[in-house]
Amino acid sequence: MAFDAGMLACVVNEININARGGKIEKIYQPEKEEIVFSIRANGKNLRLLINAGSSCPRISFTQTQKENPMQAPMFCMLLRKHLSGATLSGVSQEGFERVARLTFDTRDEMGFECKKYIFAEIMGKYSNLIFTDESFKVIYVLKTVDFTTSS
């Protein structure tokens, strides 16, 4: 089944119903292009999967538990640094595009409240995850694209 903008709208609604206001407990990166958030919301433990791989890009809840690497990848460690203990304040769809924005309420290095965002582009082989601060300055991306690889 194609993961188009209509499907993304339904998934965004499902995430907001089940996980909005939930606390991020753990963050995993079992595969190179896949992130899993362990969220505690409404008395339930949820696992939110975001896959930016070219073969099956998607965002959804999952029950499967995959083997994690011994050494966490850089993107995973960065997300753990910034989002451990954060609250998922909401998920929205950018227009009617295949882009979901996950908004997190967290604290910065000085202890002040701030917002962080993950933009999940679910676009087939062009899928990507973009992590930004509250002024939408890019902190890190899952797949970097430079001028030599971009058309």
Side-chain angles (χ1 to χ4, degrees), residues 125-136:
K125 69 178 183 176
Y126 302 109
S127 298
N128 205 352
L129 297 178
I130 303 164
F131 182 54
T132 70
D133 63 8
E134 60 189 336
S135 63
F136 300 109

Side-chain angles (χ1 to χ4, degrees), residues 33 51-57 124-127 143:
E33 298 171 334
N51 188 323
S54 60
S55 61
C56 190
K125 69 178 183 176
Y126 302 109
S127 298
K143 297 191 283 189

Side-chain angles (χ1 to χ4, degrees), residues 21-40:
K23 186 172 178 149
I24 305 297
E25 291 186 336
K26 294 186 179 184
I27 302 170
Y28 307 102
Q29 189 172 355
E31 294 181 17
K32 183 180 177 191
E33 298 171 334
E34 187 173 85
I35 297 290
V36 177
F37 293 98
S38 178
I39 302 172
R40 179 78 177 163

Side-chain angles (χ1 to χ4, degrees), residues 23-117:
K23 186 172 178 149
I24 305 297
E25 291 186 336
K26 294 186 179 184
I27 302 170
Y28 307 102
Q29 189 172 355
E31 294 181 17
K32 183 180 177 191
E33 298 171 334
E34 187 173 85
I35 297 290
V36 177
F37 293 98
S38 178
I39 302 172
R40 179 78 177 163
N42 303 321
K44 299 182 286 188
N45 291 322
L46 304 170
R47 295 173 57 84
L48 181 64
L49 167 84
I50 306 174
N51 188 323
S54 60
S55 61
C56 190
R58 67 192 180 284
I59 178 170
S60 63
F61 289 116
T62 184
Q63 295 295 323
T64 61
Q65 294 187 4
K66 294 184 179 178
E67 186 76 23
N68 291 304
M70 294 293 289
Q71 176 79 20
M74 180 67 181
F75 189 67
C76 182
M77 290 193 301
L78 185 76
L79 290 178
R80 286 177 182 173
K81 175 185 173 189
H82 288 276
L83 298 179
S84 288
T87 301
L88 178 64
S89 60
V91 181
S92 62
Q93 184 176 7
E94 298 295 312
F96 200 62
E97 298 290 332
R98 292 178 289 171
V99 178
R101 178 176 65 188
L102 289 81
T103 305
F104 298 93
D105 292 328
T106 186
R107 296 190 177 272
D108 62 8
E109 293 83 14
M110 300 298 291
F112 297 108
E113 292 182 0
C114 67
K115 291 190 180 293
K116 301 281 172 90
Y117 303 96

Side-chain angles (χ1 to χ4, degrees), residues 1-10 93 96-98 122:
M1 174 186 260
F3 202 97
D4 58 2
M7 178 69 140
L8 182 62
C10 294
Q93 184 176 7
F96 200 62
E97 298 290 332
R98 292 178 289 171
I122 310 298

